[in-house]
Amino acid sequence: MSAEKRLQELGLLLPPAPEAKGLYRPVVIVGQWAFTSGHLSMDAEGRLLTGRLGADINIEAGQQAARWAGLNLLASLRQALGSLDQVRRVVKLTGFIQSTPDFQQHPAVLNGCSQLLADLFGTEAGIGVRSAIGASSLPLGAAVEVEALVEILP
Amino acid sequence: MSAEKRLQELGLLLPPAPEAKGLYRPVVIVGQWAFTSGHLSMDAEGRLLTGRLGADINIEAGQQAARWAGLNLLASLRQALGSLDQVRRVVKLTGFIQSTPDFQQHPAVLNGCSQLLADLFGTEAGIGVRSAIGASSLPLGAAVEVEALVEILP
Amino acid sequence: MSAEKRLQELGLLLPPAPEAKGLYRPVVIVGQWAFTSGHLSMDAEGRLLTGRLGADINIEAGQQAARWAGLNLLASLRQALGSLDQVRRVVKLTGFIQSTPDFQQHPAVLNGCSQLLADLFGTEAGIGVRSAIGASSLPLGAAVEVEALVEILP
């Protein structure tokens, strides 16, 4: 099933591909691999979803933030690849969660992004390896930052 | 020397391969590469080794936690590859250490995992590049989380 | 333009390649890929550039720290590859910034390293994907730690 068609079926609109906030590219393609930069939790209007898990935002808000970070990552991938149908599989997802020292539910938060990828690409292709890590701070106060390694079609 | 034989010689029993705590796979194989998810410090009975370096656990306990995280990672690799003898070399190890802001001995802690890999695969194949990073929080309060990139035999 | 010539033109002297502070290698080469370990902010005399963004060092000092971390990473790459002219492109840069919980300008700090890579390899080859992350603590109290994935010439 086409990821682009699935996107339409789900009624999902990708935000505009985010512009680089420093000296980097959103995506680099080498052979079969597409590497992405860390993408921040930002909504369709480009407003950052900020806050700290364990303090001022709850799990549900964190999951929404992770989902938005994923939507931005997908927007960058589509811009670089021409179409999300060029994705063969999501190999690796790394998620940093801005949180208090005693926060423990990083995996539940990051599921907000993983579920999006599973919905779009299917469980087989959308779910790869993953690391969820707590960060004491993230760029611009973002609640979540995600980066991915994706295998693409030839 | 076979890593599986070496495991026996060292009298090491791998814990059961850990189950995913979210939407991810423990290992993904693409061509010559095996990627692993972040693996937490968890003992053979599945009890998490929690705590914070610089506060409630010392370097030795941290090294034990890093070693257990490595044993779980090896259990996942064996499950995915059929045998640890399929490992050609450990290319990269990333270790996140739950610690206080003033903690500085992350490399010594992560050596607890690296030494295990060196013992098992030999220094040539078991020791690759590495990053040791302090995390203000980790999933489930784990003291250590490690992920690896491994080159495998054809 | 040769990166080694560019280094001379810029009047840049690389520090001595840093020695491993634990059980790891500074660089591992597999096929077209060179992976580096996390490299700390350390000056030409091997003195660590320590401190915490948002508390005891400012953005400019952080950028200098990021630049020194990059110079050490380049020294390791040159030692492993024989010459920086073997670098085809910098694919990925990951930077951890030791900072307070309310710090937000990680991208500006990490630009200190990215600018160095752009100056040396050109924007096309020197700038890849990037993640900038806040760390509550880093090895030896370093202000910045960077790791890279580099594509090399055959």
Side-chain angles (χ1 to χ4, degrees):
Chain A
M1 150 81 78
S2 153
E4 292 287 348
K5 274 198 188 151
R6 191 80 184 111
L7 201 65
Q8 286 193 311
E9 278 188 8
L10 294 168
L12 283 177
L13 274 181
L14 294 188
E19 286 173 37
K21 280 156 197 68
L23 293 165
Y24 61 86
R25 300 177 198 289
V27 175
V28 167
I29 297 167
V30 182
Q32 76 196 107
W33 306 102
F35 298 85
T36 87
S37 283
H39 281 70
L40 303 178
S41 43
M42 209 163 59
D43 72 13
E45 279 76 43
R47 283 178 303 231
L48 276 158
L49 300 168
T50 58
R52 184 176 303 278
L53 275 294
D56 45 5
I57 62 172
N58 63 17
I59 303 284
E60 290 69 32
Q63 289 171 329
Q64 278 302 313
R67 180 184 169 83
W68 276 112
L71 286 164
N72 279 278
L73 189 150
L74 290 169
S76 287
L77 273 176
R78 183 201 256 168
Q79 186 174 67
L81 300 173
S83 161
L84 292 178
D85 293 339
Q86 286 304 109
V87 172
R88 174 173 269 170
R89 69 172 303 172
V90 179
V91 173
K92 185 170 196 266
L93 181 71
T94 307
F96 296 92
I97 315 293
Q98 186 166 260
S99 44
T100 56
D102 59 349
F103 186 70
Q104 300 197 350
Q105 294 176 268
H106 313 71
V109 170
L110 195 48
N111 281 352
C113 180
S114 301
Q115 187 63 58
L116 169 71
L117 299 174
D119 289 345
L120 212 57
F121 299 110
T123 307
E124 207 50 49
I127 297 296
V129 300
R130 197 179 84 171
S131 292
I133 300 118
S136 62
S137 65
L138 286 176
L140 311 178
V144 176
E145 178 175 353
V146 295
E147 59 164 59
L149 172 61
V150 167
E151 193 190 6
I152 59 176
L153 293 172
Chain B
M1 150 83 77
S2 151
E4 292 285 348
K5 274 197 188 152
R6 189 82 184 112
L7 202 65
Q8 286 194 311
E9 276 188 10
L10 295 168
L12 284 176
L13 274 182
L14 293 188
E19 287 173 37
K21 280 157 197 67
L23 292 165
Y24 61 86
R25 299 177 200 287
V27 175
V28 167
I29 296 166
V30 182
Q32 75 196 108
W33 306 102
F35 299 84
T36 86
S37 284
H39 280 70
L40 304 177
S41 43
M42 207 163 59
D43 71 13
E45 278 77 41
R47 284 178 302 230
L48 275 158
L49 300 169
T50 57
R52 183 175 305 277
L53 274 294
D56 46 5
I57 61 172
N58 63 17
I59 304 286
E60 290 69 33
Q63 289 172 328
Q64 279 302 312
R67 180 184 170 83
W68 276 112
L71 286 164
N72 279 278
L73 188 151
L74 289 169
S76 288
L77 273 176
R78 183 200 256 166
Q79 186 174 67
L81 299 174
S83 160
L84 293 178
D85 293 339
Q86 287 304 109
V87 173
R88 174 173 269 170
R89 68 171 303 170
V90 178
V91 173
K92 186 171 196 267
L93 182 71
T94 306
F96 296 92
I97 316 292
Q98 186 167 259
S99 44
T100 57
D102 58 349
F103 187 69
Q104 301 198 351
Q105 295 176 268
H106 314 70
V109 170
L110 195 48
N111 281 352
C113 180
S114 301
Q115 187 63 57
L116 168 71
L117 298 174
D119 289 346
L120 212 58
F121 299 110
T123 308
E124 207 50 50
I127 298 296
V129 300
R130 196 178 84 172
S131 292
I133 300 118
S136 64
S137 65
L138 287 177
L140 312 179
V144 176
E145 178 173 353
V146 295
E147 60 165 58
L149 172 61
V150 167
E151 192 189 8
I152 60 176
L153 294 173
Chain C
M1 150 81 78
S2 152
E4 292 285 348
K5 274 196 189 151
R6 190 82 184 110
L7 202 65
Q8 285 193 313
E9 277 187 8
L10 295 167
L12 283 176
L13 275 181
L14 294 187
E19 288 174 36
K21 280 158 196 66
L23 293 164
Y24 60 88
R25 299 177 199 287
V27 175
V28 166
I29 297 166
V30 182
Q32 75 197 107
W33 306 101
F35 299 86
T36 86
S37 284
H39 281 70
L40 304 178
S41 43
M42 207 163 60
D43 72 12
E45 279 76 42
R47 282 177 303 229
L48 276 158
L49 300 168
T50 58
R52 184 176 304 278
L53 275 293
D56 46 6
I57 62 173
N58 63 17
I59 303 286
E60 291 69 33
Q63 289 171 329
Q64 279 301 314
R67 180 182 169 84
W68 276 113
L71 286 165
N72 279 278
L73 188 150
L74 289 170
S76 287
L77 273 176
R78 182 200 257 166
Q79 185 174 67
L81 299 174
S83 161
L84 292 177
D85 293 339
Q86 286 304 109
V87 172
R88 173 173 269 168
R89 69 172 302 171
V90 179
V91 174
K92 184 172 198 266
L93 181 71
T94 307
F96 296 92
I97 316 292
Q98 187 167 259
S99 44
T100 57
D102 58 350
F103 186 70
Q104 299 197 353
Q105 295 176 268
H106 314 70
V109 170
L110 195 49
N111 281 353
C113 180
S114 301
Q115 189 61 60
L116 168 71
L117 299 173
D119 289 345
L120 212 57
F121 299 110
T123 307
E124 208 49 50
I127 298 297
V129 299
R130 196 178 84 171
S131 291
I133 300 120
S136 63
S137 64
L138 286 176
L140 312 178
V144 176
E145 178 173 353
V146 295
E147 60 165 58
L149 172 61
V150 167
E151 192 190 6
I152 59 176
L153 294 172

